[in-house]
Amino acid sequence: MAGLLPRSLLRASSSIAPRQAALFQSSVRAHKLSQRIYAQSSLKSYPRGFTTFPPKQQYRTHTYDSGDGNPPVKIQIQEPPSFFTRALRFTGRVLGGILIVTFGSVIALVIYEPDMIVATEAVRMAMHPEEGISDERTLEIEAYIQNHPMVQKFRDDPSLIETRPHLDIPTLLRPNVLTAGVLTGPDRIAVPPLVFADGEGKKLFAILHVGEQLCGHPGVIHGGLLATLMDETLARCCFPALPNKIAMTANLDVNYRAPCKANQFVIIKAETTKVEGRKAWVSGRLESLPVPGVEGDGKLLVEASVLMIEPKNIGPLMREVSHKKLTSGTPSAAIGSA
C-alpha cells in the first residue's frame, strides 16, 4: 500500500521527543483520513451498482512506545504473502506457460505442418476402403482382391471362414501395431489382408498387396518385411489349435526363393503340421497371386516354418479378457482373433 513507512523510520520513531511523537501520531492519523476520503471519492466515480474489490493484502499492526508517558504509536506494515499463496501463484504461472506453449505448438503445426496432424487419417483410410473414404488407387486394389477368382473359390468353400483380422484391432490401438498401423497405407500395405481359415487352426490363406514404399532394394520388397508377414500369418494359422488361442514365436526359419517385386498381389498359404500342448509347428509359402484366367499356383517367393509356444499361465488372463469382451457385447468370433 502506498504511503506506508519503512521499518528504519519506525525504529527511529521510538527515540524521538514527546512533542515530535505527538506530531508523528497526528500525521499518521491525517494520512489514514486522507486515504479514506480518497477511497470514498473514487467509488463515487463508478456507475451505481458497480463495486470493486481491491486485492486482499495482509497487514500486521506494530505498536511503538516512546516511554515518555505519551500514547503509543500504532503502525500497520504490509506482510509478505504466505508460502501457500506463493506456491499457488507459481503453479498457476507454470500451468499457464505450459498451456500457451501447447496451444502455440498445435497452431504452428496446423499452419506449417498439416500433414503431421492428419497422419493417422491415412491409416484410417486404408483400413476401411469399403467406406468410400480411400484414395482411388486403394479402391482399385480392394476391388481387384474382392473380384479375384481365387477369392471367389475360397468363398465357395464351406470349410473356410473369411475374416480381416486387422479390423478386429481397436481403432485407437492400430497405429501401435506394426502391420496394422505403421506399415499400412497407400504405397505400403494398402488394404488389410483378406484371410480365409478353417477355424480349427489347420490351414489359412491370406491375400494382400505390397506397395513400393516397402522396398529394401529399388523395386524389390524388403526381406525383413516378408519375414514379418510370414511370422504373423503362420502364427495366426495355429492360434485356434492352441489351448488359449494365442502364442509367441520361438523360432522362425525363412528361405527366400525369388525376389518379391513391389506393387504386386501376393498370397500366403499356411498349414499347421504339428501341435503338442502349448507348442505348434507351422509351415507356409508366399507366392505371387496368379493373374485371373491363369491356372495353377503363382511364383514361389518365400518359404518359412515357425515354432509357436503359448506362454505359461496365460489362461486366466485370456479368460478375463474374453469375459470382458462378452459382457461388453463383443462378438465371440472376434475374441479368438486377437
Side-chain angles (χ1 to χ4, degrees):
M1 175 181 287
L4 295 179
L5 299 177
R7 295 177 183 268
S8 59
L9 183 56
L10 297 177
R11 290 192 298 267
S13 64
S14 61
S15 59
I16 58 178
R19 183 179 298 178
Q20 290 175 338
L23 293 175
F24 180 76
Q25 183 178 7
S26 62
S27 64
V28 171
R29 292 177 181 175
H31 176 70
K32 291 182 179 180
L33 179 62
S34 63
Q35 285 186 332
R36 190 180 300 111
I37 296 173
Y38 175 78
Q40 292 177 355
S41 62
S42 61
L43 288 176
K44 291 180 181 179
S45 62
Y46 290 98
R48 181 174 296 178
F50 180 82
T51 59
T52 59
F53 299 93
K56 185 178 180 180
Q57 296 180 344
Q58 297 178 350
Y59 296 91
R60 178 175 296 179
T61 302
H62 295 265
T63 303
Y64 297 92
D65 192 353
S66 61
D68 297 331
N70 294 312
V73 179
K74 295 183 179 180
I75 302 295
Q76 286 185 333
I77 299 178
Q78 182 178 351
E79 296 292 330
S82 64
F83 174 78
F84 176 77
T85 303
R86 285 179 287 162
L88 189 62
R89 290 176 182 175
F90 176 78
T91 304
R93 290 168 183 170
V94 171
L95 293 178
I98 293 175
L99 289 176
I100 292 175
V101 172
T102 302
F103 284 112
S105 301
V106 172
I107 294 174
L109 286 175
V110 171
I111 296 175
Y112 297 104
E113 294 291 342
D115 294 338
M116 295 179 63
I117 302 299
V118 298
T120 56
E121 191 67 18
V123 177
R124 177 175 175 267
M125 290 171 59
M127 297 305 291
H128 296 278
E130 66 278 2
E131 295 182 0
I133 57 176
S134 298
D135 61 282
E136 184 177 353
R137 174 57 178 163
T138 302
L139 293 175
E140 291 177 357
I141 294 173
E142 176 68 11
Y144 185 90
I145 293 177
Q146 293 291 339
N147 298 318
H148 196 278
M150 187 167 290
V151 171
Q152 300 302 323
K153 177 183 176 181
F154 291 150
R155 286 174 175 166
D156 294 337
D157 188 343
S159 66
L160 297 179
I161 302 173
E162 179 180 351
T163 60
R164 263 194 157 135
H166 286 177
L167 299 184
D168 293 333
I169 302 173
T171 305
L172 293 177
L173 298 181
R174 288 177 196 164
N176 299 326
V177 178
L178 182 63
T179 55
V182 177
L183 298 179
T184 301
D187 295 326
R188 288 169 290 186
I189 301 177
V191 298
L194 187 61
V195 175
F196 295 88
D198 64 351
E200 298 179 359
K202 296 181 180 180
K203 58 181 178 180
L204 180 145
F205 305 94
I207 299 175
L208 66 153
H209 180 272
V210 286
E212 60 185 7
Q213 292 186 8
L214 304 175
C215 294
H217 298 283
V220 179
I221 298 299
H222 196 292
L225 172 69
L226 299 177
T228 299
L229 294 176
M230 295 298 290
D231 178 40
E232 180 178 285
T233 306
L234 271 58
R236 185 173 286 116
C237 175
C238 71
F239 280 178
L242 294 172
N244 293 289
K245 319 302 181 187
I246 191 171
M248 302 183 71
T249 305
N251 178 266
L252 175 64
D253 184 18
V254 182
N255 295 295
Y256 300 95
R257 301 305 184 189
C260 179
K261 296 182 180 179
N263 286 323
Q264 72 165 320
F265 296 87
V266 297
I267 179 172
I268 302 176
K269 303 176 181 179
E271 180 182 2
T272 302
T273 58
K274 184 179 179 181
V275 177
E276 290 183 357
R278 296 184 295 108
K279 297 182 180 180
W281 288 261
V282 190
S283 61
R285 299 159 56 94
L286 187 148
E287 304 172 353
S288 60
L289 189 65
V291 178
V294 177
E295 297 294 335
D297 297 332
K299 183 178 181 180
L300 177 61
L301 305 175
V302 180
E303 286 183 314
S305 60
V306 65
L307 169 60
M308 306 297 299
I309 301 179
E310 182 178 288
K312 292 182 179 180
N313 304 321
I314 195 67
L317 177 61
M318 294 305 299
R319 284 192 291 271
E320 181 180 355
V321 173
S322 300
H323 176 71
K324 290 181 179 180
K325 289 185 178 181
L326 287 174
T327 55
S328 62
T330 304
S332 58
I335 297 175
S337 59

